[in-house]
Amino acid sequence: MITALAWSIPALPLAGALVNGLGGLFGFTWLRRVSHFVAVGASGLAFAGALMLFLRLSAGAPPITLTLYQWIFGAGLHVHVGLLIDQLTAIMLMVITGVGSLIHLYSVGYMHDDPGYPRFFTYLNLFMFSMLVLVMADNYLLFFVGWEGVGLCSYLLIAFWYEKTSAAQAGTKAFVVNRIGDAGFLLGVFFIFTSFGSLDYATVLPRAGELTTAAATAITLLLLVGAVGKSAQLPLYTWLPDAMEGPTPVSALIHAATMVTAGVYMVVRNHALYAMAPFSMETVAVIGGVTAIFAASIGLVQYDIKRVLAYSTVSQLGYMFMAAGLGAYAAAIFHLMTHAFFKALLFLAAGSVIHALGGEQDIRKMGGLWSKIPVTAWTFLIGTIAIAGIPPLAGFWSKDEILNAALSGGHPILWLLGLTAACMTAFYMFRLFFLTFKGPSRLTHEAEHHLHESPLVMTGPLMALAVLSVIGGALAGYPSEAGWIHHFLAPVVGAHAEEEAAGGSALFGVAASIIVALLGLTIAWVMYLLRPGLAEAGLARFTQAHRLLLNKYWVDELYDLLVVNPTKALGRVWDWFDATVIDGAVNGVGRGTGRCAALSTWIETHIIYGSLNLTGYANHIMARLLRLVQSGLVHHYAAIFLVGLFLLANLLWWLNHADPGGDGLVVWNQAASFINSLRRGGGS
């Protein structure tokens, strides 16, 4: 029962992808009308299975390990297809299937007029399958299959509207940048195998203490390269903002609950290895802290509603990395969970706004939508309060734990970075809310005409996620550092020493985090509602700073200058070298050989054959006739072979009858004597 239930969780989305994908491939037009039933049903049943396993583990049952079959064996490498379902996996399953199912349902309304409707649900199901394989794998190789699967599906989903050049380029960029990170990750996996002779978690992680500090540092830094690419941290974050070219449900699925959290999950899963590498831990924490404030600063001035949320995602992932680097693994997973609630809510609400306005995404062309689309507005406000870290909503509990881990763990600089990023987050999120829903309407006539609230199939998931954003943090994380989620994850990640020593969030840390969140809210309220002229005055006064942030520090341009353009130039040089030198040499040899053959033919025809006597011409004619035998056709050769056997058999029969009992020796001897006499006669 448990075995079938566990395997059904990834199998159901895979089955949904196959049904919709093959139906579209073979032209089953009727499948378009039911493709969403297949996809939503598969994800919903997967969530039901995940919930059953989650409840089983919550009741105190031991972790589940299952093996399907031996995959690779020989030469010292033995890898099987197996699942590991422990407390960490259970939380990831709930987030992936729960939030993923709501996004599937929302997509029914959002994508209903799209000509690629069945294809979209095929990709969604395939993406969910890949992510489930990633988190349920019990070895590094199967984990890597899921890891690469989500990378491939992200390309397919981001470039879903491939007829748009910008979408195709964004998908390609995501794929290429992730390949850079994945190369480092794969090297780390190779290093693990050479160190332990195995790729199974059950073998590697308990023996992590056998590694030297240098080996552990090398392995964990290589794994971190992959995590930085997949979770969009500095310096490999640039693909994620461009991924906004995909449909909004894709943004919610990739940037909230699934792909971008894979790097965080990987670091937490391998915490035993990271514990042996203090330098790697510090690197993870520093990358997270710097990314949090870096991305938040860019989000301050963006005008595309989805790009603001994209940079917010990069910033929030920075908090998760900072927590993991500080050893607060439970806090990292806690923030991963709450972030899935409020970020999926914000993306889907933004999609509802875009849907209501007929595709408009520029917040400078919005305003006054509060009374026009109230369900979307209220749910967006709840998501904004949650991500800003204002109590008692979900983001407050998880973000406060991360900041407290930095403060109580003796990392004041990281704490200040996180605190500053929290203030920026509150400011740019309420700026986004006020410019979109409050103030005077700045809608175009076309958008005003199109304006309407989204259907229930879209607003229903918004309301469900809003409820989770309100109560999810308190239910899982109260009291701080000692809530349910910490006890649930303790068997996997252990207890965080600084958290235990602190005995809860310090009053100072809690007060500071609340104050900066309210400060960001107040500044946004004053600049965009109370005295809107201040925003324009600030832009006029700080033009260069605004230009710097609006252009995202010109990082993309810098990468183009230092990496992309030189690589393209090298490619053009290689194209020239390949076409001119290599192809030229090969073609030259061919042309030279052809000319030599032509010359040889001329000499043979005009000189050699011209000087030959009649016997030579006869030989030439015989050669031409024999050449016909060499047809290259197997059945011709087989016929000649059979004719030869027939003639040989008849010859032997004749010889035996001409000299019975002598085995033809008399005949052969007579023939030999006759030939010798001819030779003697010819010689005389």
Side-chain angles (χ1 to χ4, degrees):
M1 171 63 181
I2 296 299
T3 301
L5 180 62
W7 284 111
S8 69
I9 295 174
L12 284 164
L14 177 61
L18 290 175
V19 170
N20 281 330
L22 294 176
L25 181 65
F26 292 114
F28 297 153
T29 55
W30 57 268
L31 190 61
R32 174 180 173 82
R33 299 190 297 271
V34 300
S35 58
H36 58 278
F37 289 111
V38 174
V40 176
S43 61
L45 289 174
F47 171 69
L51 179 60
M52 293 175 67
L53 292 181
F54 173 77
L55 294 175
R56 186 176 185 274
L57 289 171
S58 298
I64 302 166
T65 55
L66 301 170
T67 300
L68 181 60
Y69 63 90
Q70 193 76 5
W71 180 14
I72 302 172
F73 51 89
L77 176 62
H78 297 274
V79 181
H80 57 264
V81 175
L83 305 182
L84 168 63
I85 305 172
D86 57 10
Q87 290 82 355
L88 176 58
T89 307
I91 288 182
M92 295 299 296
L93 290 180
M94 291 296 290
V95 170
I96 295 167
T97 59
V99 177
S101 295
L102 292 174
I103 294 171
H104 275 70
L105 182 61
Y106 175 95
S107 301
V108 176
Y110 191 87
M111 301 293 294
H112 71 283
D113 286 332
D114 196 281
Y117 193 70
R119 178 167 58 92
F120 181 79
F121 282 107
T122 299
Y123 294 165
L124 280 189
N125 270 179
L126 189 61
F127 188 98
M128 180 176 283
F129 163 74
S130 300
M131 191 68 193
L132 290 171
V133 169
L134 187 155
V135 300
M136 298 177 76
D138 71 344
N139 62 78
Y140 289 95
L141 193 57
L142 187 59
F143 176 96
F144 188 69
V145 171
W147 185 271
E148 289 296 282
V150 295
L152 171 63
C153 292
S154 68
Y155 165 77
L156 296 174
L157 287 167
I158 293 168
F160 179 77
W161 289 320
Y162 56 85
E163 63 276 3
K164 290 172 53 180
T165 302
S166 57
Q169 290 175 342
T172 302
K173 184 177 183 179
F175 191 80
V176 171
V177 173
N178 274 276
R179 294 295 72 72
I180 296 171
D182 294 350
F185 180 86
L186 198 55
L187 290 174
V189 172
F190 293 157
F191 207 155
I192 288 173
F193 179 73
T194 58
S195 300
F196 297 98
S198 175
L199 294 176
D200 293 340
Y201 295 158
T203 301
V204 173
L205 298 179
R207 294 173 53 196
E210 300 175 9
L211 290 172
T212 64
T213 301
T217 301
I219 290 173
T220 50
L221 287 179
L222 287 170
L223 295 179
L224 179 61
V225 174
V228 164
K230 197 69 71 182
S231 293
Q233 298 294 283
L234 285 170
L236 301 179
Y237 74 95
T238 54
W239 67 268
L240 192 144
D242 288 357
M244 297 300 102
E245 292 292 339
T248 300
V250 172
S251 303
L253 187 66
I254 292 178
H255 303 150
T258 53
M259 176 177 169
V260 293
T261 61
V264 180
Y265 168 79
M266 188 277 295
V267 173
V268 175
R269 173 60 73 189
N270 290 279
H271 67 91
L273 297 176
Y274 280 90
M276 299 298 299
F279 176 77
S280 297
M281 292 284 284
E282 291 288 340
T283 303
V284 173
V286 170
I287 287 176
V290 174
T291 302
I293 193 169
F294 178 85
S297 65
I298 298 175
L300 295 173
V301 299
Q302 299 301 308
Y303 295 106
D304 186 303
I305 188 171
K306 289 174 65 177
R307 284 190 177 268
V308 175
L309 297 177
Y311 283 105
S312 170
T313 298
V314 177
S315 180
Q316 297 304 308
L317 289 166
Y319 278 104
M320 299 175 209
F321 268 77
M322 186 166 70
L326 294 171
Y329 304 114
I333 298 300
F334 184 24
H335 196 57
L336 184 154
M337 182 185 74
T338 59
H339 176 262
F341 298 156
F342 57 69
K343 185 53 62 67
L345 169 61
L346 288 167
F347 266 117
L348 296 185
S352 182
V353 172
I354 296 168
H355 179 79
L357 300 180
E360 183 59 67
Q361 295 184 201
D362 192 335
I363 58 176
R364 291 170 294 187
K365 299 178 181 179
M366 298 182 188
L369 299 179
W370 179 264
S371 59
K372 303 294 191 306
I373 46 175
V375 176
T376 300
W378 273 106
T379 53
F380 196 99
L381 176 60
I382 290 172
T384 301
I385 297 172
I387 194 174
I390 297 174
L393 273 69
F396 164 75
W397 302 97
S398 55
K399 190 181 293 185
D400 176 68
E401 282 193 19
I402 296 172
L403 293 175
N404 183 60
L407 183 62
S408 62
H411 298 84
I413 295 178
L414 289 178
W415 177 74
L416 284 173
L417 288 176
L419 201 66
T420 305
C423 184
M424 290 180 175
T425 301
F427 170 79
Y428 68 66
M429 285 306 305
F430 277 100
R431 166 183 176 266
L432 178 62
F433 174 76
F434 292 145
L435 287 176
T436 303
F437 295 100
K438 306 298 287 184
S441 174
R442 299 177 297 279
L443 272 63
T444 63
H445 177 73
E446 181 180 354
E448 188 84 40
H449 176 73
H450 194 274
L451 184 59
H452 65 283
E453 182 62 277
S454 298
L456 182 61
V457 73
M458 294 173 63
T459 57
L462 294 182
M463 291 184 280
L465 290 167
V467 171
L468 292 172
S469 298
V470 172
I471 65 175
L475 288 178
Y478 179 81
S480 295
E481 290 88 34
W484 168 85
I485 194 170
H486 306 85
H487 296 296
F488 185 69
L489 289 174
V492 180
V493 302
H496 182 214
E498 281 77 10
E499 290 172 353
E500 291 179 340
S505 296
L507 180 62
F508 173 75
V510 174
S513 63
I514 296 175
I515 288 171
V516 297
L518 294 176
L519 177 63
L521 185 161
T522 303
I523 294 174
W525 176 69
V526 171
M527 291 183 64
Y528 294 99
L529 285 186
L530 185 63
R531 298 179 61 186
L534 285 177
E536 295 298 328
L539 292 179
R541 183 172 182 180
F542 301 103
T543 303
Q544 294 303 319
H546 177 262
R547 185 164 170 260
L548 177 68
L549 297 177
L550 188 63
N551 287 281
K552 303 158 287 188
Y553 296 99
W554 289 285
V555 172
D556 283 295
E557 289 78 5
L558 182 64
Y559 285 176
D560 285 343
L561 177 66
L562 298 180
V563 179
V564 177
N565 292 335
T567 303
K568 289 181 178 179
L570 182 62
R572 288 191 291 269
V573 171
W574 176 252
D575 284 343
W576 174 86
F577 183 82
D578 185 46
T580 305
V581 179
I582 296 179
D583 288 351
V586 173
N587 295 335
V589 171
R591 286 192 293 269
T593 303
R595 287 167 182 168
C596 289
L599 178 61
S600 175
T601 301
W602 184 88
I603 292 173
E604 181 182 11
T605 302
H606 294 85
I607 298 178
I608 297 178
Y609 291 162
S611 63
L612 289 178
N613 54 21
L614 185 60
T615 304
Y617 283 113
N619 290 336
H620 175 62
I621 293 171
M622 182 61 68
R624 295 289 295 269
L625 293 174
L626 290 175
R627 181 177 168 189
L628 296 176
V629 177
Q630 304 297 325
S631 64
L633 300 176
V634 175
H635 60 278
H636 286 180
Y637 296 155
I640 294 170
F641 176 72
L642 292 174
V643 170
L645 285 178
F646 176 77
L647 294 176
L648 182 60
N650 280 275
L651 176 63
L652 291 175
W653 179 87
W654 179 76
L655 290 174
N656 284 321
H657 282 74
D659 182 23
D663 295 328
L665 292 176
V666 173
V667 177
W668 286 116
N669 290 331
Q670 291 175 348
S673 299
F674 176 71
I675 293 171
N676 288 329
S677 65
L678 289 176
R679 287 177 177 174
R680 285 193 298 271
S684 62

